[in-house]
Amino acid sequence: MPEQTSSRPLIVERRVVSDEWVLCESAEACPEGQPAIVPLEAWQASQQGPDIAPWLASDTEMTAALAEELEAAPLVAIDFPRFTDGRGYSIARLLRERHGYTGQIRAVGDVLIDQLFYMSRCGFDAFSLREDQEVEVALKALDTFSLSYQPGVDDPEPLFRRRQRKPGKTEADRAMA
């Protein structure tokens, strides 16, 4: 878990923002007076408040008890140790759909532009991009596709249901023409 630097671009709700939070390997390693994201165990052991947030490893088991505990967090960061590790997608989706989490879910770690559209469909609304990623390209990547066949956190109704519901030409029919 490398410490995050301020040079990592941050996108929150499809806007580039300045990152006030620092990602720390332990609560002791965090700078004084700055909001910090710490590993889950350190967050659970801390006096939880608005200036400390949990960092979930990709192998975290999302239980109902943990989801209930996370409701108090100002945000939840989910780690992508490698771009090929997709377990974070499942964690975010479980938090949003099964447990109704409404706070910010932030992707951290090896976060690439190619992943953003799919991450957003799974419930992520904040992305701390890898340092070598271009933020302008990343913003466009969030709109890679105009329609999705599968249900997602952003649109729980699959395309075939939308087509069945609307008589005549649908948005999907016009997009495919």
Side-chain angles (χ1 to χ4, degrees):
M1 288 193 226
E3 188 169 319
Q4 180 172 327
T5 64
S6 60
S7 62
R8 292 177 77 106
L10 179 65
I11 297 173
V12 177
E13 297 177 357
R14 297 178 178 258
R15 291 186 326 269
V16 179
V17 299
S18 146
D19 194 358
E20 300 172 1
W21 293 82
V22 64
L23 199 57
C24 303
E25 291 186 19
S26 68
E28 297 78 31
C30 294
E32 191 70 31
Q34 187 170 3
I37 300 170
V38 297
L40 176 61
E41 297 77 23
W43 179 76
Q44 289 171 319
S46 73
Q47 293 202 2
Q48 299 167 8
D51 60 345
I52 190 164
W55 178 5
L56 281 64
S58 62
D59 63 351
T60 301
E61 182 180 352
M62 186 47 56
T63 63
L66 177 56
E68 185 176 331
E69 191 176 356
L70 292 173
E71 287 179 18
L75 67 89
V76 173
I78 299 175
D79 188 34
F80 284 82
R82 288 175 303 287
F83 75 90
T84 57
D85 186 342
R87 295 175 289 178
Y89 292 92
S90 299
I91 295 170
R93 191 145 187 183
L94 287 170
L95 262 175
R96 291 276 191 228
E97 289 183 335
R98 185 177 294 171
H99 302 293
Y101 183 78
T102 58
Q104 183 186 107
I105 300 179
R106 180 183 296 199
V108 298
D110 199 14
V111 179
L112 305 177
I113 290 169
D114 298 357
Q115 301 167 297
L116 300 187
F117 175 78
Y118 302 105
M119 286 177 169
S120 68
R121 300 229 51 232
C122 290
F124 286 95
D125 56 359
F127 312 93
S128 179
L129 299 174
R130 198 169 75 182
E131 291 174 5
D132 64 342
Q133 302 296 287
E134 295 181 36
V135 72
E136 295 80 20
V137 177
L139 289 168
K140 290 178 185 173
L142 286 166
D143 295 318
T144 298
F145 303 102
S146 59
L147 293 171
S148 296
Y149 290 105
Q150 304 84 1
V153 171
D154 59 343
D155 189 355
E157 190 174 39
L159 181 61
F160 79 92
R161 290 269 188 246
R162 287 178 268 162
R163 290 186 66 165
Q164 287 175 344
R165 190 180 67 246
K166 294 182 181 178
K169 279 215 175 229
T170 65
E171 175 185 351
D173 294 327
R174 286 188 294 279
M176 289 183 214

Short mmCIF file of all heavy atoms in Angstrom, two decimals, residues 118-160:
data_model
loop_
_atom_site.label_atom_id
_atom_site.label_comp_id
_atom_site.label_asym_id
_atom_site.label_seq_id
_atom_site.Cartn_x
_atom_site.Cartn_y
_atom_site.Cartn_z
N TYR A 118 -16.65 1.23 -16.19
CA TYR A 118 -17.14 0.03 -15.50
C TYR A 118 -17.17 0.22 -13.99
O TYR A 118 -18.09 -0.25 -13.32
CB TYR A 118 -16.29 -1.17 -15.90
CG TYR A 118 -16.31 -1.38 -17.39
CD1 TYR A 118 -15.22 -1.04 -18.18
CD2 TYR A 118 -17.46 -1.87 -18.03
CE1 TYR A 118 -15.25 -1.19 -19.55
CE2 TYR A 118 -17.50 -2.02 -19.40
CZ TYR A 118 -16.39 -1.69 -20.16
OH TYR A 118 -16.43 -1.83 -21.51
N MET A 119 -16.19 0.93 -13.47
CA MET A 119 -16.21 1.23 -12.03
C MET A 119 -17.43 2.06 -11.67
O MET A 119 -18.08 1.81 -10.66
CB MET A 119 -14.94 1.98 -11.63
CG MET A 119 -13.71 1.13 -11.58
SD MET A 119 -12.27 2.17 -11.16
CE MET A 119 -11.05 0.91 -10.86
N SER A 120 -17.75 3.04 -12.50
CA SER A 120 -18.92 3.89 -12.21
C SER A 120 -20.21 3.07 -12.25
O SER A 120 -21.14 3.32 -11.49
CB SER A 120 -19.00 5.07 -13.16
OG SER A 120 -19.29 4.66 -14.48
N ARG A 121 -20.28 2.07 -13.13
CA ARG A 121 -21.46 1.22 -13.21
C ARG A 121 -21.60 0.35 -11.96
O ARG A 121 -22.69 -0.12 -11.64
CB ARG A 121 -21.40 0.32 -14.45
CG ARG A 121 -21.33 1.12 -15.73
CD ARG A 121 -22.29 0.75 -16.81
NE ARG A 121 -23.65 0.65 -16.40
CZ ARG A 121 -24.43 -0.41 -16.65
NH1 ARG A 121 -23.95 -1.45 -17.28
NH2 ARG A 121 -25.68 -0.41 -16.28
N CYS A 122 -20.49 0.12 -11.26
CA CYS A 122 -20.51 -0.72 -10.05
C CYS A 122 -20.69 0.10 -8.77
O CYS A 122 -20.77 -0.47 -7.69
CB CYS A 122 -19.22 -1.53 -9.96
SG CYS A 122 -19.12 -2.83 -11.20
N GLY A 123 -20.74 1.43 -8.88
CA GLY A 123 -21.01 2.23 -7.70
C GLY A 123 -19.92 3.20 -7.29
O GLY A 123 -20.12 3.99 -6.36
N PHE A 124 -18.78 3.18 -7.94
CA PHE A 124 -17.73 4.15 -7.62
C PHE A 124 -18.17 5.53 -8.13
O PHE A 124 -18.69 5.64 -9.22
CB PHE A 124 -16.41 3.78 -8.30
CG PHE A 124 -15.71 2.62 -7.66
CD1 PHE A 124 -15.89 1.33 -8.16
CD2 PHE A 124 -14.87 2.80 -6.58
CE1 PHE A 124 -15.26 0.25 -7.58
CE2 PHE A 124 -14.23 1.71 -5.99
CZ PHE A 124 -14.42 0.43 -6.50
N ASP A 125 -17.94 6.55 -7.33
CA ASP A 125 -18.23 7.91 -7.77
C ASP A 125 -17.01 8.83 -7.62
O ASP A 125 -17.09 10.02 -7.89
CB ASP A 125 -19.44 8.50 -7.05
CG ASP A 125 -19.32 8.48 -5.54
OD1 ASP A 125 -18.30 8.00 -5.01
OD2 ASP A 125 -20.25 8.95 -4.87
N ALA A 126 -15.88 8.24 -7.20
CA ALA A 126 -14.63 8.99 -7.07
C ALA A 126 -13.48 8.09 -7.52
O ALA A 126 -13.47 6.89 -7.22
CB ALA A 126 -14.42 9.46 -5.64
N PHE A 127 -12.52 8.69 -8.23
CA PHE A 127 -11.43 7.92 -8.82
C PHE A 127 -10.11 8.65 -8.61
O PHE A 127 -9.94 9.76 -9.11
CB PHE A 127 -11.67 7.73 -10.33
CG PHE A 127 -13.06 7.27 -10.65
CD1 PHE A 127 -14.05 8.19 -10.95
CD2 PHE A 127 -13.39 5.92 -10.63
CE1 PHE A 127 -15.35 7.78 -11.24
CE2 PHE A 127 -14.68 5.50 -10.91
CZ PHE A 127 -15.66 6.42 -11.21
N SER A 128 -9.22 8.04 -7.87
CA SER A 128 -7.88 8.57 -7.70
C SER A 128 -7.01 7.87 -8.74
O SER A 128 -6.60 6.74 -8.56
CB SER A 128 -7.37 8.28 -6.28
OG SER A 128 -6.08 8.79 -6.12
N LEU A 129 -6.80 8.55 -9.85
CA LEU A 129 -6.11 7.96 -10.99
C LEU A 129 -4.63 7.71 -10.72
O LEU A 129 -4.01 8.45 -9.95
CB LEU A 129 -6.22 8.88 -12.20
CG LEU A 129 -7.62 9.19 -12.71
CD1 LEU A 129 -7.55 10.23 -13.82
CD2 LEU A 129 -8.30 7.93 -13.19
N ARG A 130 -4.11 6.70 -11.37
CA ARG A 130 -2.67 6.48 -11.34
C ARG A 130 -2.01 7.72 -11.92
O ARG A 130 -2.55 8.37 -12.82
CB ARG A 130 -2.34 5.23 -12.15
CG ARG A 130 -0.97 4.65 -11.85
CD ARG A 130 -0.81 3.31 -12.47
NE ARG A 130 -0.61 3.46 -13.92
CZ ARG A 130 -0.47 2.44 -14.75
NH1 ARG A 130 -0.54 1.21 -14.31
NH2 ARG A 130 -0.29 2.65 -16.04
N GLU A 131 -0.84 8.07 -11.42
CA GLU A 131 -0.19 9.33 -11.78
C GLU A 131 0.04 9.53 -13.27
O GLU A 131 0.06 10.66 -13.74
CB GLU A 131 1.14 9.46 -11.03
CG GLU A 131 0.95 9.66 -9.55
CD GLU A 131 2.25 9.65 -8.77
OE1 GLU A 131 3.33 9.58 -9.38
OE2 GLU A 131 2.17 9.72 -7.54
N ASP A 132 0.22 8.46 -14.02
CA ASP A 132 0.51 8.60 -15.45
C ASP A 132 -0.74 8.72 -16.32
O ASP A 132 -0.64 8.79 -17.54
CB ASP A 132 1.37 7.44 -15.94
CG ASP A 132 0.66 6.10 -15.84
OD1 ASP A 132 -0.34 5.99 -15.10
OD2 ASP A 132 1.11 5.14 -16.49
N GLN A 133 -1.91 8.79 -15.72
CA GLN A 133 -3.17 8.87 -16.47
C GLN A 133 -3.55 10.33 -16.71
O GLN A 133 -3.38 11.17 -15.84
CB GLN A 133 -4.29 8.16 -15.71
CG GLN A 133 -3.99 6.69 -15.42
CD GLN A 133 -3.86 5.87 -16.68
OE1 GLN A 133 -4.86 5.59 -17.33
NE2 GLN A 133 -2.65 5.49 -17.04
N GLU A 134 -4.08 10.61 -17.90
CA GLU A 134 -4.47 11.97 -18.27
C GLU A 134 -5.92 12.22 -17.85
O GLU A 134 -6.83 11.53 -18.29
CB GLU A 134 -4.32 12.17 -19.78
CG GLU A 134 -2.89 12.07 -20.25
CD GLU A 134 -2.77 12.30 -21.74
OE1 GLU A 134 -3.51 13.14 -22.29
OE2 GLU A 134 -1.93 11.61 -22.34
N VAL A 135 -6.12 13.22 -17.04
CA VAL A 135 -7.44 13.48 -16.45
C VAL A 135 -8.48 13.86 -17.50
O VAL A 135 -9.65 13.47 -17.38
CB VAL A 135 -7.33 14.51 -15.31
CG1 VAL A 135 -7.07 15.90 -15.84
CG2 VAL A 135 -8.55 14.48 -14.43
N GLU A 136 -8.11 14.59 -18.54
CA GLU A 136 -9.08 14.97 -19.58
C GLU A 136 -9.59 13.74 -20.32
O GLU A 136 -10.78 13.62 -20.63
CB GLU A 136 -8.47 15.97 -20.57
CG GLU A 136 -8.11 17.31 -19.98
CD GLU A 136 -6.77 17.28 -19.21
OE1 GLU A 136 -5.96 16.36 -19.43
OE2 GLU A 136 -6.57 18.17 -18.37
N VAL A 137 -8.69 12.82 -20.60
CA VAL A 137 -9.06 11.57 -21.26
C VAL A 137 -9.93 10.73 -20.32
O VAL A 137 -10.90 10.10 -20.74
CB VAL A 137 -7.81 10.78 -21.71
CG1 VAL A 137 -8.19 9.44 -22.32
CG2 VAL A 137 -6.98 11.60 -22.68
N ALA A 138 -9.60 10.76 -19.05
CA ALA A 138 -10.37 10.01 -18.05
C ALA A 138 -11.82 10.50 -17.98
O ALA A 138 -12.75 9.69 -17.90
CB ALA A 138 -9.71 10.13 -16.68
N LEU A 139 -12.02 11.80 -18.01
CA LEU A 139 -13.38 12.33 -17.97
C LEU A 139 -14.19 11.86 -19.17
O LEU A 139 -15.37 11.52 -19.04
CB LEU A 139 -13.35 13.86 -17.89
CG LEU A 139 -12.88 14.43 -16.56
CD1 LEU A 139 -12.62 15.93 -16.69
CD2 LEU A 139 -13.89 14.14 -15.47
N LYS A 140 -13.57 11.83 -20.34
CA LYS A 140 -14.26 11.34 -21.54
C LYS A 140 -14.55 9.85 -21.43
O LYS A 140 -15.57 9.37 -21.93
CB LYS A 140 -13.42 11.63 -22.79
CG LYS A 140 -13.34 13.10 -23.13
CD LYS A 140 -12.46 13.34 -24.34
CE LYS A 140 -12.31 14.83 -24.58
NZ LYS A 140 -11.33 15.11 -25.63
N ALA A 141 -13.66 9.11 -20.78
CA ALA A 141 -13.83 7.66 -20.64
C ALA A 141 -15.07 7.31 -19.82
O ALA A 141 -15.65 6.23 -19.99
CB ALA A 141 -12.60 7.04 -20.01
N LEU A 142 -15.49 8.21 -18.96
CA LEU A 142 -16.70 7.95 -18.17
C LEU A 142 -17.95 7.88 -19.05
O LEU A 142 -18.97 7.35 -18.63
CB LEU A 142 -16.86 9.01 -17.08
CG LEU A 142 -15.90 8.86 -15.91
CD1 LEU A 142 -15.89 10.12 -15.06
CD2 LEU A 142 -16.27 7.64 -15.06
N ASP A 143 -17.87 8.43 -20.25
CA ASP A 143 -18.99 8.42 -21.19
C ASP A 143 -18.68 7.56 -22.42
O ASP A 143 -19.17 7.82 -23.51
CB ASP A 143 -19.32 9.84 -21.63
CG ASP A 143 -19.81 10.69 -20.47
OD1 ASP A 143 -20.61 10.17 -19.67
OD2 ASP A 143 -19.40 11.85 -20.36
N THR A 144 -17.86 6.53 -22.22
CA THR A 144 -17.44 5.67 -23.33
C THR A 144 -18.62 5.09 -24.09
O THR A 144 -18.63 5.05 -25.31
CB THR A 144 -16.54 4.53 -22.81
OG1 THR A 144 -15.38 5.11 -22.24
CG2 THR A 144 -16.14 3.58 -23.92
N PHE A 145 -19.62 4.64 -23.37
CA PHE A 145 -20.78 4.01 -23.99
C PHE A 145 -22.04 4.78 -23.64
O PHE A 145 -22.21 5.22 -22.51
CB PHE A 145 -20.92 2.55 -23.52
CG PHE A 145 -19.70 1.73 -23.80
CD1 PHE A 145 -18.80 1.43 -22.80
CD2 PHE A 145 -19.44 1.26 -25.08
CE1 PHE A 145 -17.67 0.68 -23.04
CE2 PHE A 145 -18.31 0.51 -25.35
CZ PHE A 145 -17.42 0.22 -24.32
N SER A 146 -22.95 4.92 -24.61
CA SER A 146 -24.19 5.64 -24.35
C SER A 146 -25.26 4.70 -23.78
O SER A 146 -26.19 5.16 -23.13
CB SER A 146 -24.71 6.31 -25.63
OG SER A 146 -24.93 5.33 -26.62
N LEU A 147 -25.14 3.41 -24.04
CA LEU A 147 -26.10 2.42 -23.54
C LEU A 147 -25.34 1.23 -22.99
O LEU A 147 -24.26 0.89 -23.45
CB LEU A 147 -27.00 1.91 -24.68
CG LEU A 147 -27.96 2.91 -25.28
CD1 LEU A 147 -28.62 2.31 -26.52
CD2 LEU A 147 -29.01 3.30 -24.26
N SER A 148 -25.97 0.57 -22.02
CA SER A 148 -25.40 -0.66 -21.46
C SER A 148 -26.47 -1.73 -21.53
O SER A 148 -27.63 -1.49 -21.22
CB SER A 148 -25.00 -0.44 -20.01
OG SER A 148 -23.97 0.52 -19.95
N TYR A 149 -26.06 -2.91 -21.93
CA TYR A 149 -26.99 -4.03 -21.99
C TYR A 149 -27.34 -4.54 -20.60
O TYR A 149 -28.46 -4.89 -20.30
CB TYR A 149 -26.40 -5.19 -22.80
CG TYR A 149 -26.29 -4.91 -24.27
CD1 TYR A 149 -25.06 -4.63 -24.85
CD2 TYR A 149 -27.41 -4.90 -25.08
CE1 TYR A 149 -24.95 -4.36 -26.19
CE2 TYR A 149 -27.31 -4.63 -26.44
CZ TYR A 149 -26.08 -4.37 -26.99
OH TYR A 149 -25.98 -4.11 -28.32
N GLN A 150 -26.33 -4.61 -19.73
CA GLN A 150 -26.50 -5.18 -18.41
C GLN A 150 -27.00 -4.15 -17.41
O GLN A 150 -26.75 -2.96 -17.56
CB GLN A 150 -25.16 -5.74 -17.90
CG GLN A 150 -24.52 -6.75 -18.79
CD GLN A 150 -23.68 -6.10 -19.90
OE1 GLN A 150 -23.57 -4.88 -19.99
NE2 GLN A 150 -23.12 -6.92 -20.76
N PRO A 151 -27.66 -4.62 -16.36
CA PRO A 151 -28.03 -3.72 -15.28
C PRO A 151 -26.77 -3.32 -14.50
O PRO A 151 -25.78 -4.05 -14.48
CB PRO A 151 -28.98 -4.55 -14.42
CG PRO A 151 -28.64 -5.97 -14.71
CD PRO A 151 -28.14 -5.99 -16.12
N GLY A 152 -26.81 -2.17 -13.88
CA GLY A 152 -25.71 -1.70 -13.05
C GLY A 152 -26.25 -0.85 -11.92
O GLY A 152 -27.46 -0.62 -11.83
N VAL A 153 -25.39 -0.39 -11.07
CA VAL A 153 -25.80 0.48 -9.97
C VAL A 153 -26.39 1.77 -10.54
O VAL A 153 -27.36 2.30 -10.03
CB VAL A 153 -24.60 0.78 -9.05
CG1 VAL A 153 -24.95 1.85 -8.03
CG2 VAL A 153 -24.16 -0.49 -8.34
N ASP A 154 -25.82 2.25 -11.65
CA ASP A 154 -26.29 3.50 -12.26
C ASP A 154 -27.60 3.34 -13.01
O ASP A 154 -28.34 4.30 -13.18
CB ASP A 154 -25.22 4.07 -13.18
CG ASP A 154 -24.82 3.12 -14.30
OD1 ASP A 154 -25.11 1.92 -14.21
OD2 ASP A 154 -24.20 3.58 -15.27
N ASP A 155 -27.92 2.15 -13.48
CA ASP A 155 -29.18 1.88 -14.18
C ASP A 155 -29.52 0.39 -13.97
O ASP A 155 -29.00 -0.47 -14.68
CB ASP A 155 -29.07 2.19 -15.66
CG ASP A 155 -30.42 2.13 -16.38
OD1 ASP A 155 -31.43 1.75 -15.75
OD2 ASP A 155 -30.46 2.47 -17.57
N PRO A 156 -30.37 0.10 -12.99
CA PRO A 156 -30.65 -1.29 -12.64
C PRO A 156 -31.51 -2.05 -13.66
O PRO A 156 -31.68 -3.26 -13.53
CB PRO A 156 -31.36 -1.18 -11.30
CG PRO A 156 -31.93 0.19 -11.27
CD PRO A 156 -31.04 1.05 -12.11
N GLU A 157 -32.01 -1.36 -14.66
CA GLU A 157 -32.87 -2.02 -15.64
C GLU A 157 -32.07 -2.42 -16.88
O GLU A 157 -31.47 -1.56 -17.54
CB GLU A 157 -34.01 -1.08 -16.03
CG GLU A 157 -35.08 -1.74 -16.86
CD GLU A 157 -36.26 -0.83 -17.10
OE1 GLU A 157 -36.06 0.37 -17.33
OE2 GLU A 157 -37.38 -1.34 -17.05
N PRO A 158 -32.04 -3.71 -17.24
CA PRO A 158 -31.31 -4.11 -18.44
C PRO A 158 -31.96 -3.55 -19.70
O PRO A 158 -33.15 -3.22 -19.72
CB PRO A 158 -31.37 -5.64 -18.41
CG PRO A 158 -32.53 -5.97 -17.55
CD PRO A 158 -32.70 -4.83 -16.58
N LEU A 159 -31.17 -3.47 -20.77
CA LEU A 159 -31.64 -2.87 -22.01
C LEU A 159 -32.89 -3.56 -22.57
O LEU A 159 -33.81 -2.89 -23.01
CB LEU A 159 -30.52 -2.89 -23.06
CG LEU A 159 -30.86 -2.27 -24.40
CD1 LEU A 159 -31.20 -0.79 -24.24
CD2 LEU A 159 -29.69 -2.44 -25.36
N PHE A 160 -32.95 -4.88 -22.51
CA PHE A 160 -34.12 -5.55 -23.08
C PHE A 160 -35.39 -5.16 -22.36
O PHE A 160 -36.45 -5.08 -22.96
CB PHE A 160 -33.93 -7.08 -23.13
CG PHE A 160 -34.14 -7.79 -21.83
CD1 PHE A 160 -35.40 -8.30 -21.50
CD2 PHE A 160 -33.10 -7.98 -20.94
CE1 PHE A 160 -35.60 -8.97 -20.31
CE2 PHE A 160 -33.29 -8.66 -19.75
CZ PHE A 160 -34.55 -9.14 -19.41
#
